[in-house]
């Protein structure tokens, strides 16, 4: 267990809904309404614990003004040297806005680049271009950001290794210290679910794209530390590590989740109720050994069995036999003290977890 503590602020507003997105969002062509920021400030005033990390997630948090961001950071009262991350779409930022975010206290900027193919970006419903993403990365460096993150989506319609290579090159040249690379998943309720795009790779092809990405990212100096996350040495995302290491974190905003003191909670998906103060967090349940197992096997460092035992977990003889089979097939490594999945194992992680949970 750890004393580390993070705060997550959900900014649900977006200029447009991407065709693959199933996150809770609200129209935000005019930016983030001040009443919503005021509602976050109201809830933050109830918090008496200084966070080690603060994360502005969305939606599109870069629709906040630097002044709004500064007020929220001040209210959160993060510890010195805290990691403060803000997600951004490349077409939302300007040099002045990025300079303002940096001056407000943001230490880490994360861009949803996704692809270096403009045709692909249009297909996804993204509102930026590859050229615009490159420009935004340049502006972020000039604004003084030493921690710059970029997202890559894999196994998109009509995908190729060449598209991945071009996207990685764009992020490398943009100075990214951290890259998230994840497979497209068509979720219920999305435009892609209602009208599936042509040319989607099958499961085997998607797995090949993932393994190719892991290999190329490693060669480029981005070490994998989580199933979808890669970084230059020492540039891991500290906030998300709180989730995966089952530390305390408090979320604010509709659809935001929390886990404090071993109890999981969430806010209802209702912007107006949150603004009005009529919404309240609802209890989801207690954290269990299975939750710890699920989170730790996302990490390349794997599951420490002694720590798992402190959560009340242990493997049966049958489960250990299954683990040995995973090792024999190259899906895992196990030394009786630590179990961790290989990249090939992470491709079939859900199947492995089904046997272990």
């Amino acid at each position: 267990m750890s004393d580390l503590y993070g705060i997550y602020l959900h900014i649900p507003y977006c200029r447009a809904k991407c065709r693959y997105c199933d996150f809770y969002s609200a129209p935000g062509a005019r930016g983030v309404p001040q009443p919503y920021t005021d509602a976050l400030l109201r809830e933050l005033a109830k918090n008496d614990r200084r966070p080690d990390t603060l994360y502005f997630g969305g939606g599109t948090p870069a629709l906040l003004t630097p002044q709004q961001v500064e007020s929220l950071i001040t209210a959160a009262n993060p510890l010195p040297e805290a990691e403060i991350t803000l997600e951004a779409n490349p077409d939302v930022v300007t040099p002045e806005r990025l300079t303002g975010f940096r001056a407000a206290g943001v230490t880490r900027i994360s861009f949803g680049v996704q692809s270096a193919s403009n045709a692909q970006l249009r297909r996804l419903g993204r509102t930026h271009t590859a050229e615009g993403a490159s420009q935004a990365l340049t502006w972020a460096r000039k604004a003084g950001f030493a921690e710059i993150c970029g997202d890559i989506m894999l196994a998109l319609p009509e995908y190729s290794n060449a598209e991945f290579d071009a996207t990685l090159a764009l992020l490398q040249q943009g100075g990214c210290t951290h890259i998230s690379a994840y497979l497209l998943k068509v979720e219920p309720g999305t435009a892609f679910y209602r009208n599936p795009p042509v040319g989607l790779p099958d499961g085997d092809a998607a797995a090949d794209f993932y393994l190719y990405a892991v290999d190329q990212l490693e060669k480029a100096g981005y070490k994998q530390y989580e199933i979808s996350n890669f970084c230059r040495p020492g540039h891991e995302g500290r906030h998300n590590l709180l989730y995966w290491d089952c530390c305390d974190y408090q979320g604010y905003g509709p659809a935001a989740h929390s886990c404090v003191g071993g109890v999981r909670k969430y806010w209802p998906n209702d912007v107006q109720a949150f603004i009005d103060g009529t919404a309240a967090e609802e209890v989801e349940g207690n954290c269990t050994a299975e939750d710890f197992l699920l989170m730790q096997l996302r990490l390349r460092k794997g599951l420490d069995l002694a720590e798992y035992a402190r959560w009340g977990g242990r493997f049966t003889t049958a489960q250990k036999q299954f683990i040995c089979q995973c090792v024999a097939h190259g899906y895992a490594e196990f030394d009786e003290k630590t179990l961790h999945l290989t990249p090939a194992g992470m491709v079939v992680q859900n199947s492995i977890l089904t046997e272990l949970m």
Side-chain angles (χ1 to χ4, degrees):
M1 307 294 178
S2 170
D3 292 330
L4 293 174
Y5 176 61
I7 288 178
Y8 173 85
L9 301 180
H10 189 59
I11 312 299
Y13 299 93
C14 286
R15 285 181 176 174
K17 187 80 168 178
C18 298
R19 295 191 178 109
Y20 57 84
C21 180
D22 69 330
F23 291 138
Y24 180 68
S25 62
R30 298 181 181 178
V32 179
Q34 187 57 37
Y36 185 79
T37 303
D38 292 340
L40 288 173
L41 292 170
R42 178 192 68 222
E43 296 303 324
L44 283 168
K46 302 172 186 177
N47 175 66
D48 58 2
R49 189 173 170 186
R50 299 185 72 185
D52 300 89
T53 65
L54 176 61
Y55 195 100
F56 291 83
T60 311
L63 289 172
L64 290 162
T65 66
Q67 293 74 25
Q68 288 173 316
V69 169
E70 184 175 19
S71 69
L72 291 166
I73 292 174
T74 299
N77 193 24
L79 290 164
E81 308 303 320
E83 176 194 85
I84 302 175
T85 304
L86 185 136
E87 293 180 346
N89 283 354
D91 60 317
V92 168
V93 298
T94 62
E96 297 75 22
R97 205 173 190 89
L98 286 164
T99 300
F101 290 149
R102 185 69 191 93
V106 177
T107 65
R108 189 170 177 266
I109 192 87
S110 182
F111 288 107
V113 174
Q114 315 307 4
S115 175
S117 163
N118 286 331
Q120 191 73 269
L121 292 170
R122 288 191 295 271
R123 191 181 290 124
L124 295 172
R126 301 294 292 177
T127 51
H128 69 275
T129 62
E131 296 76 18
S134 179
Q135 183 68 81
L137 291 166
T138 298
W139 289 340
R141 293 199 311 277
K142 290 182 177 178
F145 283 100
E147 299 288 343
I148 303 176
C149 316
D151 290 354
I152 302 178
M153 294 189 75
L154 309 171
L156 298 170
E158 311 292 350
Y159 204 65
S160 68
N161 287 341
E163 182 176 338
F164 172 83
D165 293 341
T167 310
L168 174 56
L170 188 157
L171 297 184
Q172 274 187 288
Q173 292 160 11
C176 285
T177 54
H178 186 286
I179 293 176
S180 296
Y182 50 95
L183 294 166
L184 171 67
K185 187 176 180 184
V186 178
E187 300 281 5
T190 65
F192 271 3
Y193 187 82
R194 292 188 293 272
N195 296 290
V198 297
L200 277 175
D202 62 21
D204 288 342
D208 288 341
F209 284 129
Y210 174 80
L211 293 174
Y212 178 81
V214 172
D215 185 59
Q216 295 304 113
L217 282 159
E218 294 269 1
K219 288 177 180 176
Y222 296 93
K223 185 173 178 60
Q224 185 180 32
Y225 69 98
E226 192 267 347
I227 189 169
S228 300
N229 286 277
F230 308 76
C231 68
R232 302 286 191 197
H235 294 274
E236 293 84 357
R238 287 160 49 193
H239 183 81
N240 283 345
L241 278 171
L242 296 184
Y243 300 156
W244 302 319
D245 283 330
C246 293
C247 301
D248 284 356
Y249 59 91
Q250 175 64 52
Y252 296 107
H257 287 250
S258 306
C259 185
V260 178
V263 179
R264 299 194 309 274
K265 298 181 180 181
Y266 67 94
W267 291 88
N269 295 358
D270 191 329
V271 166
Q272 196 57 50
F274 183 76
I275 291 173
D276 295 341
T278 57
E281 279 190 293
E282 299 181 14
V283 174
E284 188 174 9
N286 294 327
C287 294
T288 66
E290 287 192 348
D291 295 321
F292 185 69
L293 171 72
L294 175 70
M295 292 292 112
Q296 291 289 282
L297 286 184
R298 292 181 64 95
L299 297 169
R300 284 299 300 271
K301 73 173 185 179
L303 174 73
D304 183 308
L305 266 62
E307 187 67 19
Y308 185 42
R310 283 190 281 273
W311 279 81
R314 68 177 186 86
F315 290 134
T316 64
T317 300
Q319 286 172 323
K320 284 190 176 183
Q321 289 173 343
F322 171 73
I323 289 169
C324 290
Q325 291 175 355
C326 289
V327 171
H329 286 90
Y331 295 138
E333 294 179 359
F334 184 53
D335 62 2
E336 297 292 337
K337 294 181 180 179
T338 305
L339 168 66
H340 61 85
L341 302 184
T342 63
M346 287 181 170
V347 171
V348 293
Q349 185 195 47
N350 288 341
S351 297
I352 292 172
L353 289 170
T354 298
E355 294 291 333
L356 296 180
M357 293 173 66

